[in-house]
Amino acid sequence: MEFVITGDGSNTLYHPEIGEHYHSKHGALQESRHVFLDMGLHHFLAKEETNEVSVLEVGFGTGLNFLLTADDATRRSLQLHYCGIEAYPLPTDVIFATGYHRFVQPATWAAFMQNYAQALTTEVDFAEHIRLKIAHEKLMDFQTDDQFDVLYFDAFAAIHQPEMWSDQSLAHICSYLKPGGIFVTYAITGNLKRSMKALGFTVEKAPGAPGKREMLRATKVG
């Protein structure tokens, strides 16, 4: 794998076996902030009066979505429970070479460097107000008693990993989302919209990150 500089100056990784980048070539940082924080986390917080939030991420990857979420939670004095699912965790040296320390507070980055390896095997107290667990397993093997407020679906595109976007996979992972919870992903297709509606979600088109006109946001009914 190799690092690629994206349109906003932030790095992403290119995965040659899958044939895709981990983030948008138009801007890794701005895609993560727009799709997952602005359209997901912030949308949830705007409709719920709470100082606690739980986030489940499919595709922990380089950790960018978590880092930005942890930094945001610190600024907002939020209690954050974050679980990322990653079947193929990146080596520690690759994670630390991303350059993402430029986009978060020094304390957030220092805690990430200290806790990343341990979080792959057990839940860690990332900070006083943040708990982190990286589930080192495939999506369909993931099991937990926890329920989550926001689901970041950041798998590789369906053209490269169709099994991640199947009705079975979506039903399994969405079972861990609370009623009223928010599902967000950078993609939007007719099949995805139909799948989410069949699972009992209200579906809406949201403005996409640079390079994409639209993205999908869905709210779990019930």
Side-chain angles (χ1 to χ4, degrees):
M1 291 187 286
E2 61 180 351
F3 283 107
V4 175
I5 300 176
T6 67
D8 63 6
S10 59
N11 290 327
T12 189
L13 275 174
Y14 177 72
H15 197 307
E17 292 182 9
I18 294 177
E20 191 176 9
H21 296 82
Y22 275 72
H23 312 93
S24 170
K25 294 184 293 182
H26 297 278
L29 178 64
Q30 59 190 5
E31 178 190 47
S32 183
R33 283 177 172 165
H34 176 80
V35 174
F36 300 109
L37 273 74
D38 292 345
M39 295 293 105
L41 178 67
H42 296 166
H43 178 77
F44 174 80
L45 293 173
K47 70 184 187 72
E48 301 286 343
E49 293 186 6
T50 180
N51 65 349
E52 298 183 13
V53 65
S54 53
V55 175
L56 176 61
E57 179 180 17
V58 174
F60 188 85
T62 62
L64 179 58
N65 294 334
F66 166 70
L67 284 165
L68 296 178
T69 301
D71 223 38
D72 192 74
T74 299
R75 287 193 295 270
R76 293 169 180 262
S77 299
L78 284 175
Q79 296 288 326
L80 172 65
H81 173 212
Y82 197 105
C83 179
I85 304 172
E86 181 54 64
Y88 306 101
L90 291 169
T92 304
D93 60 336
V94 174
I95 288 283
F96 297 159
T98 57
Y100 295 157
H101 64 279
R102 296 178 291 153
F103 310 126
V104 295
Q105 299 174 78
T108 301
W109 182 254
F112 189 50
M113 288 194 295
Q114 180 179 351
N115 289 291
Y116 172 71
Q118 185 179 357
L120 290 169
T121 58
T122 187
E123 186 171 81
V124 299
D125 291 324
F126 181 86
E128 184 178 355
H129 60 290
I130 297 172
R131 291 181 293 136
L132 170 64
K133 172 67 187 298
I134 306 169
H136 180 188
E137 56 195 338
K138 294 182 178 180
L139 182 149
M140 292 302 296
D141 294 329
F142 176 74
Q143 300 285 338
T144 182
D145 293 329
D146 296 327
Q147 293 278 293
F148 297 86
D149 300 307
V150 184
L151 202 166
Y152 296 171
F153 199 85
D154 199 16
F156 287 117
I159 192 173
H160 299 294
Q161 284 191 321
E163 72 281 2
M164 296 291 287
W165 302 81
S166 69
D167 290 345
Q168 183 183 17
S169 293
L170 291 169
H172 176 69
I173 202 62
C174 287
S175 70
Y176 298 109
L177 195 60
K178 298 175 185 177
I182 303 298
F183 172 105
V184 281
T185 187
Y186 60 87
I188 186 164
T189 66
N191 285 339
L192 179 59
K193 288 187 288 185
R194 286 188 289 272
S195 294
M196 297 305 294
K197 288 177 182 177
L199 290 172
F201 283 74
T202 57
V203 174
E204 60 182 309
K205 296 178 182 179
K212 286 186 178 290
R213 187 165 59 91
E214 296 172 332
M215 56 165 280
L216 183 139
R217 179 169 62 206
T219 303
K220 191 170 186 177
V221 179

